[in-house]
């Protein structure tokens, strides 16, 4: 059976170059980077090289990079660390309705602890309202947290414009760039960003590693205390093989970004056109064109359940998702799609396909061959579809 992986926004395979480099630091160069002897020093040097590689991909300085266990921890450090550092200045935070749960639930936790939270809306394409954000700013606003690109529908947000507004008001600006890293250019200076979250396993690096960019001069209170690693921002012995692998993945992403984007956009558009032409009652969710990540396609197929579609695809060796991998066990429809104005019924029939480097035209042909058959079979069991057909014919 053919196997086609179209869930790269959930995770990516580790690049062979990354895996080979990491193995060296598991078996040969295994020193603790805090040790002063030669074993420790050679690992420390490699760790700092990785810090430079991550910084170079986002236009930052190496000393502004703090390594974490992943995107979720980095989001928590950014939001909770800023809130604790600035609580005497104010207790108002702004975020958006389309954020990842790592941001939304952290902000909601602060709301339960006495902070005020404003959640601004997004439009029908999943792009946040700059006007509503500007209106939401108060004298006691201390933090704005808006993602760079949405993990479900791929919508790219006007980060530079929002960052300019935040800077004009002296507000710390955090951006979750987990999905955009390595797919589209990021420059923290041009984007007016103070804090930026990135993750390794979305760009062909290992799981369990991420980083937070902290602009020089931005105050943040650490969540983890102990030996004072990472400039006392994140204590604990560093995951050196993972960090070094992350650095290599960033280097490769920078080299391959344009080629990857061109390749994935071509396949994505072929998949989108094939689905919309080959299946009735399909809606493409999110923007079309340059305002969308090049590897992302999210569609709602009416009169079928997304879970049934996923299971049927999986039986044929095709991996996709119905939204964020972090909430795949939930029966609730996507909060992102609902916030974009979709009904529960349409949101429940959503599929997210996210492409990667290794996908081929043959992969897309296989999906386009199998998906219409699956939809037809499932719709034959749907009384709503039968009603829709008779209404259309009438």
């Amino acid at each position: 059976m053919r196997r086609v992986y179209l869930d790269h926004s959930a995770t990516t395979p580790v690049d062979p170059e990354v895996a080979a480099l990491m193995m060296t630091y598991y078996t040969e160069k295994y020193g603790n980077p805090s040790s002063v002897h030669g074993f420790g020093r050679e690992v420390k040097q490699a760790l700092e090289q990785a810090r430079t590689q991550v910084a170079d991909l986002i236009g930052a300085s190496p000393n502004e990079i703090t390594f974490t266990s992943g995107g979720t921890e980095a989001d928590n450090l950014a939001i909770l660390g800023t809130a604790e550092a600035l609580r005497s200045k104010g207790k108002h935070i702004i975020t958006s309705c389309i954020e990842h749960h790592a941001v939304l639930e952290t902000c909601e936790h602060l709301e339960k602890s006495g902070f005020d939270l404003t959640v601004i809306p997004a439009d029908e394409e999943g792009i946040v309202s700059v006007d509503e954000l500007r209106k939401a700013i108060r004298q006691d606003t201390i933090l704005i947290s808006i993602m760079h690109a949405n993990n479900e529908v791929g919508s790219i947000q006007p980060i530079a414009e929002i960052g300019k507004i935040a800077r004009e008001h002296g507000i710390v600006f955090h951006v979750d760039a987990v999905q955009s890293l390595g797919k589209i250019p990021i420059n923290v200076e041009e984007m007016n960003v103070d804090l930026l979250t990135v993750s390794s396993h979305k760009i062909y690096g290992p799981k369990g590693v991420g980083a937070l960019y902290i602009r020089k001069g931005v105050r943040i209170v650490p969540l983890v205390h102990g030996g004072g690693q990472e400039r006392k921002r994140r204590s604990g012995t560093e995951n050196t093989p993972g960090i070094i692998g992350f650095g290599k993945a960033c280097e490769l992403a920078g080299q391959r970004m344009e080629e990857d984007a061109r390749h994935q956009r071509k396949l994505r558009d072929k998949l989108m056109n094939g689905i919309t032409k080959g299946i009735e009652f399909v809606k493409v969710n999110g923007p079309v064109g340059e305002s969308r990540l090049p590897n992302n396609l999210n569609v709602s197929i009416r009169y079928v359940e997304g879970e049934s579609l996923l299971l049927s695809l999986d039986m044929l060796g095709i991996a996709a998702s119905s939204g964020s991998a972090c909430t795949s066990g939930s029966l609730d429809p996507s909060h992102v799609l609902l916030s974009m104005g979709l009904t529960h019924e349409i949101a429940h029939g959503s599929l997210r396909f996210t492409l990667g480097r290794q996908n081929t035209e043959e992969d897309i042909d296989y999906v386009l061959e199998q998906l219409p058959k699956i939809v037809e079979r499932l719709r034959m069991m749907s009384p709503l579809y039968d009603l829709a057909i008779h209404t259309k014919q009438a």
Side-chain angles (χ1 to χ4, degrees):
M1 181 175 65
R2 187 181 185 92
R3 287 170 61 83
V4 178
Y5 186 76
L6 295 176
D7 200 16
H8 290 82
S9 284
T11 197
T12 56
V14 176
D15 186 280
E17 286 189 55
V18 172
L21 179 62
M22 289 176 63
M23 188 56 64
T24 300
Y25 288 88
Y26 279 117
T27 59
E28 299 174 28
K29 301 178 181 181
Y30 47 80
N32 187 321
S34 295
S35 299
V36 298
H37 48 60
F39 289 88
R41 291 198 306 273
E42 68 177 349
V43 174
K44 179 70 171 178
Q45 183 178 2
L47 188 150
E48 294 308 321
Q49 180 183 0
R51 199 184 305 277
T52 298
Q53 290 167 319
V54 174
D56 286 347
L57 189 56
I58 63 172
S61 298
N63 61 8
E64 295 175 311
I65 302 298
T66 295
F67 288 113
T68 68
S69 65
T72 294
E73 184 190 340
D75 281 339
N76 274 258
L77 177 58
I79 295 166
L80 298 177
T82 299
E84 184 62 28
L86 300 180
R87 65 165 55 241
S88 62
K89 181 181 176 182
K91 290 190 174 183
H92 181 231
I93 296 169
I94 299 172
T95 191
S96 84
C97 61
I98 62 166
E99 300 300 311
H100 190 277
H101 286 285
V103 168
L104 282 175
E105 294 196 14
T106 305
C107 290
E108 289 166 0
H109 168 76
L110 285 173
E111 187 176 29
K112 294 174 184 176
S113 303
F115 284 79
D116 291 336
L117 177 63
T118 298
V119 180
I120 62 170
D123 64 18
E124 65 278 1
E125 292 190 336
I127 297 176
V128 300
S129 170
V130 175
D131 289 338
E132 291 297 323
L133 183 140
R134 189 181 281 109
K135 292 175 187 176
I137 292 174
R138 307 186 331 201
Q139 286 283 74
D140 62 339
T141 304
I142 58 171
L143 176 66
I144 296 172
S145 181
I146 304 292
M147 63 182 6
H148 189 194
N150 183 260
N151 51 301
E152 295 192 34
V153 299
S155 51
I156 300 170
Q157 309 304 318
I159 294 300
E161 185 179 358
I162 295 171
K164 183 180 179 183
I165 294 169
R167 191 149 296 177
E168 288 171 352
H169 289 82
I171 301 168
V172 174
F173 182 37
H174 167 244
V175 172
D176 182 328
V178 165
Q179 288 296 337
S180 58
L181 184 73
K183 298 183 182 76
I184 56 177
I186 295 175
N187 186 295
V188 290
E189 292 296 330
E190 294 175 0
M191 293 162 61
N192 305 301
V193 174
D194 297 308
L195 302 165
L196 186 114
T197 294
V198 291
S199 179
S200 167
H201 75 106
K202 309 293 189 179
I203 62 164
Y204 307 90
K207 298 172 181 63
V209 185
L212 179 65
Y213 158 77
I214 306 173
R215 180 184 293 278
K216 184 179 179 181
V218 173
R219 291 178 55 217
I220 199 162
V221 173
L223 304 182
V224 180
H225 303 273
Q229 289 89 346
E230 293 300 295
R231 295 171 176 80
K232 298 184 178 181
R233 290 168 173 165
R234 203 273 187 181
S235 291
T237 301
E238 297 91 343
N239 173 10
T240 49
I243 289 170
I244 291 164
F246 185 17
K248 184 64 176 178
C250 284
E251 179 186 284
L252 295 174
Q255 294 169 359
R256 300 174 181 176
M257 190 185 305
E258 289 186 15
E259 179 185 349
D260 283 351
R262 185 165 49 250
H263 171 67
Q264 292 163 24
R265 186 179 292 110
K266 178 183 176 182
L267 296 183
R268 189 271 313 274
D269 290 348
K270 177 176 181 175
L271 180 61
M272 178 177 66
N273 292 333
I275 290 174
T276 54
K277 290 177 182 177
I279 303 173
E280 282 190 299
F281 305 111
V282 170
K283 180 185 185 305
V284 176
N285 300 315
V288 177
E290 295 302 312
S291 295
R292 188 189 198 107
L293 289 177
N295 75 325
N296 176 287
L297 174 63
N298 188 302
V299 295
S300 288
I301 302 175
R302 297 194 67 178
Y303 313 117
V304 288
E305 287 283 340
E307 185 177 7
S308 298
L309 287 169
L310 288 178
L311 293 173
S312 298
L313 287 168
D314 185 47
M315 291 177 66
L316 294 169
I318 300 167
S321 77
S322 58
S324 169
C326 300
T327 56
S328 59
S330 172
L331 295 178
D332 295 329
S334 158
H335 73 282
V336 173
L337 296 181
L338 293 179
S339 71
M340 291 164 57
L342 273 68
T343 64
H344 277 64
E345 179 255 322
I346 295 176
H348 263 304
S350 68
L351 283 177
R352 181 186 70 175
F353 299 99
T354 45
L355 292 86
R357 287 175 190 159
Q358 81 275 26
N359 288 129
T360 64
E361 294 224 18
E362 289 74 19
D363 290 340
I364 303 306
D365 289 337
Y366 181 62
V367 175
L368 292 177
E369 176 189 349
Q370 300 299 333
L371 184 59
K373 299 176 187 176
I374 294 170
V375 172
E376 182 180 9
R377 175 174 58 82
L378 293 174
R379 280 178 171 171
M380 293 303 292
M381 298 181 282
S382 170
L384 291 175
Y385 177 66
D386 189 55
L387 178 63
I389 289 296
H390 283 90
T391 302
K392 182 180 178 183
Q393 291 172 345

